[in-house]
Amino acid sequence: ETGVTQTPRHLVMGMTNKKSLKCEQHLGHNAMYWYKQSAKKPLELMFVYNFKEQTENNSVPSRFSPECPNSSHLFLHLHTLQPEDSALYLCASSQDQSVTQYFGPGTRLLVL
Amino acid sequence: KQEVTQIPAALSVPEGENLVLNCSFTDSAIYNLQWFRQDPGKGLTSLLLIQSSQREQTSGRLNASLDKSSGRSTLYIAASQPGDSATYLCAVRRRRDDKIIFGKGTRLHILP
């Protein structure tokens, strides 16, 4: 058990749907991250939050909208996605941005 | 532009052998380098984190080295076991913009 949980574990959605991914960490960390892992590509960092404030947005399309209501919870709101957005979405947390990150199990997303 | 390269892309070795995974990066101005393990369909597990001021880190049968001047890191696995089969990812955090850049990983298969 890593202390970082993600729900749902699997999600299938149409291009017109709106859905949200949830991440929760029970480690008392201050930084949280969203990553995207597409098949045969390196892991891509999407967003970084530090003390609930977004500190990094790696040119992610606006159809992905993150939300961090507190240091323990991180959401990724999805709307009007494209089939190429199908991937494994991983959440991670760390005490601060310079130390080891702990990853959740990921949400495997399929956009039809 | 920071690039992280991992060689080989895939590796199969008999159980009990010692092995080395390689990671190279183009920009030596980094805060740290981290090695992760990913099992199929699961999130990442952090193995070792090496700060830029350190030369190596050890954890059990794992030893990671860092040579910033040459832009290289190695992950040494001693006495390999079938349970070591997984994809191993290397990631650096660069100083310029605090971004984390991942390699594509090495898929390791330990033959029983």
Side-chain angles (χ1 to χ4, degrees):
Chain A
E1 180 60 51
T2 64
V4 181
T5 58
Q6 289 186 241
T7 55
R9 295 293 309 276
H10 300 272
L11 178 62
V12 180
M13 59 187 289
M15 290 190 286
T16 59
N17 292 158
K18 289 185 179 181
K19 297 287 184 182
S20 294
L21 309 185
K22 179 182 177 182
C23 175
E24 184 174 359
Q25 57 96 359
H26 313 278
L27 302 169
H29 290 165
N30 298 312
M32 296 187 77
Y33 313 77
W34 278 118
Y35 290 87
K36 174 182 178 182
Q37 187 169 34
S38 303
K40 299 182 180 179
K41 290 186 178 181
L43 202 65
E44 301 169 61
L45 180 63
M46 301 173 71
F47 302 103
V48 180
Y49 278 82
N50 200 25
F51 290 96
K52 302 187 300 178
E53 298 297 321
Q54 186 179 127
T55 57
E56 191 164 339
N57 177 338
N58 273 353
S59 303
V60 180
S62 60
R63 57 186 184 270
F64 295 92
S65 174
E67 178 190 2
C68 189
N70 55 61
S71 292
S72 299
H73 294 85
L74 184 64
F75 295 90
L76 187 62
H77 303 300
L78 317 171
H79 62 98
T80 59
L81 294 192
Q82 304 298 312
E84 59 264 30
D85 296 323
S86 298
L88 179 69
Y89 289 85
L90 291 162
C91 171
S93 71
S94 63
Q95 183 58 42
D96 59 49
Q97 289 185 246
S98 64
V99 298
T100 303
Q101 295 182 32
Y102 295 83
F103 282 76
T107 295
R108 189 162 297 281
L109 173 67
L110 177 61
V111 181
L112 300 176
Chain B
K1 177 182 177 183
Q2 177 67 279
E3 291 186 349
V4 179
T5 305
Q6 290 188 245
I7 295 173
L11 180 65
S12 293
V13 300
E15 179 179 2
E17 284 197 6
N18 302 327
L19 59 99
V20 175
L21 306 181
N22 297 292
C23 172
S24 61
F25 46 95
T26 54
D27 183 353
S28 61
I30 62 172
Y31 283 119
N32 57 51
L33 182 144
Q34 193 163 239
W35 282 94
F36 297 89
R37 167 188 174 137
Q38 185 173 30
D39 293 282
K42 297 190 176 180
L44 302 181
T45 299
S46 178
L47 297 173
L48 291 164
L49 172 71
I50 311 176
Q51 301 292 351
S52 63
S53 58
Q54 298 175 320
R55 300 283 292 188
E56 66 177 346
Q57 284 286 320
T58 298
S59 176
R61 294 182 293 107
L62 306 179
N63 176 276
S65 68
L66 175 64
D67 184 342
K68 272 199 320 176
S69 60
S70 65
R72 293 181 181 178
S73 176
T74 61
L75 179 66
Y76 175 82
I77 302 177
S80 59
Q81 303 171 358
D84 295 330
S85 298
T87 296
Y88 290 80
L89 292 154
C90 162
V92 300
R93 182 187 293 277
R94 63 187 183 197
R95 289 187 179 274
R96 174 163 54 87
D97 53 12
D98 209 24
K99 288 187 185 294
I100 301 170
I101 310 297
F102 280 81
K104 291 188 178 182
T106 293
R107 193 170 62 257
L108 176 64
H109 181 48
I110 306 300
L111 305 168

